[in-house]
């Protein structure tokens, strides 16, 4: 049997089923999945095979099974045999799973031996990917190896009827990991803290209530936490973390508490409380009473529910101390500085987070693989993954055909890489922005780990054509592998195709920030007729000059200048010297590139409405423009299609001339862009007879634009394909690189 069948209670399930049906034989984990040998009445074996498909444990996923007949050997009983490892074989590894209801009940029941125990788990929940060092998935291959089970835990672990049968991280207060605490102020105080009789969770609650910033060790790394309702604490965290405007995620104790902060429909409620426990970006309630510093200028809020017993316990009244001060909402942001990878190690936390946190709440179970919180948005009642990490990775995507073993290195921003094995595309967890050494080290560590876990020996490496990307440089330096360069937006579209199991050709609409074009321009508003084997660029947004490289991304007014020249709106707001300097750069072509970027078009509109002249992270202006749209406004501007170019000059002129209310401009702009995309797809369908459309690229994180485009295309009879589990942004391109490279290797 293959699929996610290890570490999810599959062997006890098989054992119990065999007992029930009076079958003899054995079951074991091997490196590629699960093997069972059965002996008994043919009807019982038939019943067994039926039940296998219909009754399997909640976290298991049975991909396929092979059945062979063997001569009987007279077995009388059914046993669970030790795992065997075989070289070259691999098994799928479960992502980390949020605490199940039964375990939550255990650790909140004063009569239970795990009452108050922060590391309670079972075969249905708990850490997996983040603690696994190698396969087969057995305790010695995890970071639980150093903890010897007590007699009671051992009995559970060995009892096939128990929920904790072969639960590798099984533990209790007598034998498992323990919480401890340390103050960031001085080592001598730290000792006192450790001697204090107050349980660490109660002390953490007290400090959070007092406005302190805590570094809390979680499943895939440290969080920095503070009381989300305390404006001073939130402001202090923002200042110390050097995180200027990026929104903080908030953790609340229950669905009810989430509903007080945000609009939560049924689909969002299911995602929030499901076993993957991502951060869900939801419309924020004005009445929520959270300080604006949580997510400045943002009408949405990223919310998640507790996913470890430690989190659950933080939100509960502590009956040991009788303390009432449990927080109702906590900022839970990645424990890192600026754009560095999330901290996983206690010593590292002391050094790197010591200047941010007042106090550390940590434990002695090591995190082997770091994994940030995943981020999803809801669209048409489904979750759309924007950042794919804890709870999702390293789940593989079955592309339905055998691929050669290869590595796709991904992009620069929001890096994710991809390995292939058999029919599986193995996407890494979110690595981050490959702009510093620490992130590159994280990339390399994760790559080594996934190659080992999945037994991948790449024959080729796929990379983005941008020569400046660290991921590209990394790929080109690998010795002995075939090198396959893939255009950025082709990769976006191929990624959407692969996720949806498409072959043949599609109309690919890639709306994006930046991607390297083979003509030397920066692409980012592309209409491709694409398949895995290649693409034809049928149209794109009109090229405009963009001056200043990276500065152009930080200063949206430069994009506006490229689109409309020195409009009144810019002249009154930008210092004249700077404006003239950039004008000269554009006129002379100095440090200026031509771009068809859709992200920069958003920037230009945001600057002309006065919304944003400068941003602190890429996409900020676009997010704010989406946020202010007047939903009642259905008007739009004119646009032109001239040859290959989609031309928005008429729109930009009207925006400059009319100086309408920003919410109206934002609405008309979204409507215009959607209408133009729709019109271009109609034209491509007339010319090519292709009626399938794939939408990809970072701009389609904009749910308003995605909704407008999707409705228009469906109404015109297009077959529409969107991303679901693979991010539409650069976090998804490695998948596209992999399937394109596989095609080229044929
Ligand atoms: Zn459980
Ligand atoms: Zn124990």
């Amino acid at each position: 049997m293959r699929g996610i069948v290890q570490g999810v209670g599959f062997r006890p399930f098989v054992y119990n089923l065999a007992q029930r049906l009076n079958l003899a034989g054995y079951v074991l984990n091997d490196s590629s999945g699960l093997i069972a040998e059965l002996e008994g009445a043919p009807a019982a074996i038939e019943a067994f095979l039926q039940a296998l498909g219909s009754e399997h444990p909640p976290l298991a996923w049975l991909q396929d099974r092979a059945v062979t007949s063997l001569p009987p050997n007279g077995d009388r009983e059914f046993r669970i045999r030790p795992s065997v490892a075989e070289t070259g074989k691999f098994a799928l590894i479960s992502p980390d799973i949020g605490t199940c209801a039964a375990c939550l009940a255990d650790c909140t029941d004063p009569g239970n031996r795990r009452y108050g125990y922060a590391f309670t788990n079972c075969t249905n929940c708990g850490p997996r990917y983040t603690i696994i060092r190698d396969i087969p998935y057995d305790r010695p291959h995890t970071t639980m190896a150093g903890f010897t089970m007590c007699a009671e835990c051992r009995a559970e672990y060995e009892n096939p009827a128990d929920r904790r049968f072969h639960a590798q991280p099984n533990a209790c207060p007598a034998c498992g990991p323990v919480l401890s605490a340390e103050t960031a102020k001085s080592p001598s105080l730290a000792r006192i803290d450790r001697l204090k009789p107050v349980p660490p969770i109660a002390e953490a609650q007290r400090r959070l209530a007092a406005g302190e910033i805590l570094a809390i060790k979680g499943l895939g790394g440290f969080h920095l936490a503070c009381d989300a309702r305390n404006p001073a604490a939130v402001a202090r965290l923002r200042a110390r973390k050097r995180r200027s405007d990026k929104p903080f995620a908030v953790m609340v104790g229950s669905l009810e508490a989430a509903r007080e902060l945000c609009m939560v429909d049924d689909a969002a409620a299911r995602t929030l409380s499901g076993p993957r426990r991502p951060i869900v970006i939801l419309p924020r309630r004005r009445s929520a009473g959270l300080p604006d510093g949580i997510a400045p200028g943002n009408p949405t809020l990223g919310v998640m529910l507790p996913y470890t017993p430690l989190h659950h316990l933080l939100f509960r009244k502590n009956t040991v101390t009788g303390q009432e001060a449990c927080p109702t909402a906590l900022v839970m942001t990645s424990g890192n500085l600026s754009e560095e990878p999330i901290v996983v190690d206690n010593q590292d936390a002391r050094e790197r987070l010591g200047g941010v946190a007042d106090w550390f709440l940590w434990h002695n179970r090591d995190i082997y693989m770091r994994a940030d919180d995943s981020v999803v948005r809801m669209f048409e009642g489904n979750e759309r993954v924007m950042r794919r990490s804890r709870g999702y990775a390293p789940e593989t995507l079955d592309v339905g055909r055998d691929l050669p073993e290869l590595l796709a290195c991904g992009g620069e921003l929001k890096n994710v890489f991809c390995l292939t094995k058999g029919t599986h595309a193995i996407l890494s967890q979110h690595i981050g922005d490959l702009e510093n050494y620490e992130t590159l080290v994280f990339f390399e560590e994760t790559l080594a780990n996934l190659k080992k876990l999945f037994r991948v020996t790449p024959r080729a490496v796929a990379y983005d054509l941008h020569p400046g990307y660290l991921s590209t440089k990394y790929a080109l330096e690998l010795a002995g592998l075939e090198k396959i360069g893939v255009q950025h937006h082709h990769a976006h579209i191929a990624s959407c195709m692969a996720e949806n199991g498409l072959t043949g050709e599609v109309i690919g609409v890639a709306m994006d920030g930046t991607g390297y074009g083979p003509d030397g321009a920066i692409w980012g508003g592309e209409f491709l007729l694409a398949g895995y084997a290649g693409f034809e660029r049928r149209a794109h947004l009109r090229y405009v000059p963009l001056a200043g490289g990276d500065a152009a991304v930080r200063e949206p007014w430069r994009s506006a200048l490229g689109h409309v020249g020195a409009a009144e709106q810019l002249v009154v707001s930008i210092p004249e010297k700077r404006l003239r300097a950039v004008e000269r750069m554009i006129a002379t072509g100095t440090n200026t590139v031509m771009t068809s970027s859709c992200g920069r078009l958003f920037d230009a509109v945001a600057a002309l409405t006065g919304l944003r002249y400068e941003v602190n992270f890429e996409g900020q202006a676009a997010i704010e423009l989406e946020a202010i749209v007047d939903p009642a406004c259905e008007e739009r501007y004119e646009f032109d299609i001239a040859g290959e170019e989609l031309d928005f000059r008429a729109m930009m002129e009207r925006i400059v001339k009319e100086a309408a209310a920003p919410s109206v401009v934002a609405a008309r702009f979204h409507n215009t862009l959607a209408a133009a995309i729709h019109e271009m797809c109609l034209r491509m369908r007339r010319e090519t007879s292709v009626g399938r459309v794939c939408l990809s690229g970072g701009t389609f994180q904009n749910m308003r634009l995605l909704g407008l485009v999707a409705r228009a295309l469906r109404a015109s009879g297009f077959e529409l394909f969107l991303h679901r589990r693979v991010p539409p942004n650069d976090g998804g391109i490695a998948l596209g690189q992999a399937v394109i490279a596989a095609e080229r290797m044929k």
Side-chain angles (χ1 to χ4, degrees):
M1 283 159 266
R2 295 195 307 144
I4 297 184
V5 292
Q6 296 191 4
V8 290
F10 216 96
R11 285 178 301 176
F13 159 68
V14 167
Y15 177 92
N16 287 316
L17 192 58
Q19 297 287 4
R20 198 173 86 204
L21 297 167
N22 241 328
L23 291 164
Y26 66 86
V27 60
L28 60 81
N29 279 341
D30 78 350
S31 309
S32 65
L34 194 107
I35 294 173
E37 210 174 285
L38 304 160
E39 188 164 343
I45 290 181
E46 190 50 45
F48 177 91
L49 291 174
Q50 284 227 324
L52 209 54
S54 53
E55 293 176 21
H56 61 69
L59 298 182
W61 172 63
L62 198 54
Q63 185 192 11
D64 57 43
R65 64 183 198 205
V67 183
T68 19
S69 293
L70 298 166
N73 58 8
D75 263 357
R76 286 294 163 82
E77 49 170 7
F78 195 91
R79 288 181 314 273
I80 294 179
R81 284 206 196 155
S83 306
V84 291
E86 290 170 76
T87 48
K89 297 243 184 128
F90 75 104
L92 298 183
I93 290 154
S94 167
D96 304 279
I97 298 296
T99 308
C100 74
C103 284
L104 179 59
D106 285 351
C107 66
T108 52
D109 167 11
N112 192 289
R113 71 189 188 94
R114 289 189 175 84
Y115 179 56
Y117 186 53
F119 305 92
T120 304
N121 67 81
C122 72
T123 47
N124 297 324
C125 74
R128 296 288 186 277
Y129 177 49
T130 53
I131 63 164
I132 297 177
R133 292 200 187 104
D134 201 355
I135 54 168
Y137 172 54
D138 280 332
R139 190 155 171 132
H141 285 147
T142 71
T143 61
M144 286 296 291
F147 299 96
T148 307
M149 275 184 266
C150 67
E152 275 178 286
C153 286
R154 166 80 37 202
E156 294 166 343
Y157 183 87
E158 287 173 354
N159 175 8
D162 195 280
R163 201 173 88 242
R164 297 194 166 92
F165 177 73
H166 283 223
Q168 305 305 342
N170 187 29
C172 78
C175 66
V178 289
L179 287 172
S180 57
E182 185 171 301
T183 172
K185 306 261 160 39
S186 85
S188 58
L189 277 173
R191 268 200 309 280
I192 296 169
D193 265 347
R194 276 201 292 272
L195 294 172
K196 264 188 199 165
V198 183
I201 291 176
E203 179 65 8
Q205 290 173 325
R206 189 189 68 74
R207 287 174 180 268
L208 287 165
E212 288 192 19
I213 295 168
L214 269 54
I216 301 176
K217 191 175 185 179
L219 209 46
F222 273 82
H223 280 118
L224 287 164
C226 73
D227 180 356
R229 297 191 185 278
N230 182 332
V234 172
R236 203 162 53 245
L237 174 55
R238 201 170 273 289
R240 288 191 196 169
K241 207 189 158 186
R242 290 180 255 143
R243 187 180 174 104
S244 33
D245 284 341
K246 272 195 185 176
F248 284 142
V250 169
M251 183 182 274
V252 288
S254 66
L255 215 43
E256 294 65 50
R259 289 199 165 99
E260 281 171 25
L261 302 183
C262 295
M263 320 284 261
V264 183
D265 62 16
D266 290 349
R270 274 195 300 278
T271 298
L272 274 171
S273 52
R276 297 175 190 273
R277 297 282 158 126
I279 295 170
V280 185
I281 299 183
L282 293 166
R284 185 169 167 178
R285 281 189 202 279
R286 280 181 198 284
S287 58
L290 291 184
D292 192 53
I294 296 268
N298 203 317
T300 63
L301 185 68
V303 181
M304 62 181 148
L305 296 187
Y307 54 85
T308 68
L310 173 57
H311 297 150
H312 282 288
L313 294 167
L314 277 174
F315 287 100
R316 296 181 90 93
K317 195 175 121 185
N318 197 304
T319 45
V320 179
T321 59
Q323 187 166 283
E324 298 277 352
C326 41
T328 59
L330 287 176
V331 167
M332 284 289 235
T333 186
S334 298
N336 58 3
L337 285 180
S338 199
E339 301 301 324
E340 289 177 8
I342 187 169
V343 172
V344 292
D345 173 80
N346 292 3
Q347 181 57 32
D348 209 24
R350 195 181 276 131
E351 285 164 14
R352 286 164 63 195
L353 303 179
V356 184
D358 300 305
W359 200 71
F360 295 94
L361 178 59
W362 55 30
H363 55 76
N364 55 347
R365 185 178 70 201
D366 287 341
I367 297 170
Y368 185 68
M369 256 297 108
R370 55 162 67 80
D372 288 89
D373 294 319
S374 293
V375 179
V376 310
R377 295 189 79 160
M378 305 304 295
F379 179 74
E380 296 181 336
N382 288 305
E383 60 179 73
R384 308 274 163 186
V385 175
M386 300 299 158
R387 182 168 78 187
R388 190 179 171 284
S389 206
R390 177 192 48 77
Y392 294 84
E395 207 170 74
T396 67
L397 199 107
D398 191 341
V399 296
R401 61 188 179 287
D402 263 314
L403 303 170
E405 292 188 17
L406 51 84
L407 160 67
C409 284
E412 172 97 335
L413 296 173
K414 305 179 171 70
N415 180 275
V416 166
F417 64 83
C418 181
L419 288 165
T420 54
K421 178 87 179 183
T423 62
H424 298 280
I426 307 147
L427 284 168
S428 75
Q429 70 271 38
H430 167 81
I431 303 292
D433 293 354
L434 280 180
E435 58 181 6
N436 53 43
Y437 174 73
E438 287 79 5
T439 317
L440 187 64
V441 171
F442 177 27
F443 174 98
E444 290 179 315
E445 285 172 356
T446 309
L447 177 58
N449 186 46
L450 284 172
K451 273 162 74 175
K452 179 181 66 184
L453 292 180
F454 288 88
R455 309 290 194 251
V456 183
T457 313
R459 287 168 45 203
V461 58
Y463 60 92
D464 192 277
L465 294 176
H466 199 304
Y469 283 4
L470 258 184
S471 56
T472 300
K473 291 178 182 162
Y474 178 85
L476 294 177
E477 281 168 15
L478 289 176
L481 298 184
E482 189 181 338
K483 313 280 197 295
I484 301 172
V486 178
Q487 200 280 324
H488 191 93
H489 302 99
H490 186 205
H492 269 305
I493 299 306
S495 147
C496 185
M497 288 178 69
E499 190 183 355
N500 287 286
L502 304 181
T503 52
E505 283 192 320
V506 300
I507 294 173
V509 181
M511 293 292 142
D512 201 16
T514 50
Y516 189 82
D519 59 355
I522 295 294
W523 293 13
E526 309 304 314
F527 296 85
L528 311 178
L529 183 64
Y532 298 128
F535 72 94
E536 193 189 324
R537 190 191 198 198
R538 303 286 296 205
H540 57 87
L541 301 196
R542 187 179 72 89
Y543 278 146
V544 295
L546 187 65
D550 284 348
V553 175
R554 285 194 304 271
E555 300 179 347
W557 64 267
R558 292 176 186 246
S559 291
L561 202 65
H563 273 276
V564 298
E568 179 68 19
Q569 285 94 329
L570 303 179
V571 173
V572 297
S573 309
I574 309 297
E576 197 188 340
K577 258 178 96 173
R578 298 180 66 200
L579 203 62
R580 297 294 164 233
V582 174
E583 264 188 323
R584 263 198 309 282
M585 283 165 75
I586 290 173
T588 58
T590 316
N591 195 13
T592 295
V593 291
M594 300 305 286
T595 186
S596 54
S597 164
C598 190
R600 300 294 84 76
L601 179 67
F602 271 86
D603 284 354
V605 174
L608 291 175
T609 55
L611 192 62
R612 273 280 161 195
Y613 299 107
E614 296 185 6
V615 293
N616 293 306
F617 58 93
E618 215 220 343
Q620 188 180 9
I623 289 168
E624 292 180 8
L625 202 61
E626 176 188 2
I628 62 163
V629 164
D630 173 359
C633 170
E634 291 182 3
E635 303 155 6
R636 67 169 175 85
Y637 301 112
E638 295 305 311
F639 59 88
D640 294 310
I641 296 175
E644 281 189 359
E645 290 202 324
L646 186 50
D647 184 343
F648 289 113
R649 270 177 293 188
M651 169 179 81
M652 301 307 273
E653 275 165 31
R654 272 190 64 191
I655 292 174
V656 170
K657 206 165 65 204
E658 293 175 355
S663 61
V664 172
V665 175
R668 289 177 183 162
F669 166 64
H670 278 78
N671 298 340
T672 311
L673 184 56
I677 291 169
H678 176 229
E679 182 60 39
M680 194 61 95
C681 289
L682 287 172
R683 196 180 83 155
M684 284 178 72
R685 184 169 64 181
R686 279 197 303 275
E687 292 171 358
T688 64
S689 303
V690 174
R692 299 184 302 178
V693 178
C694 284
L695 302 180
S696 190
T699 302
F700 284 115
Q701 295 175 102
N702 182 321
M703 291 297 141
R704 173 158 297 273
L705 181 70
L706 183 63
L708 291 168
V709 172
R711 272 199 297 283
L713 290 175
R714 289 203 187 103
S716 299
F718 284 96
E719 248 189 296
L720 188 63
F721 298 93
L722 309 175
H723 287 285
R724 294 184 303 271
R725 286 281 162 82
V726 177
N729 56 46
D730 286 8
I733 66 168
L735 173 62
Q737 292 172 348
V739 288
I740 290 168
E743 190 70 22
R744 293 215 198 129
M745 288 172 75
K746 272 186 182 168

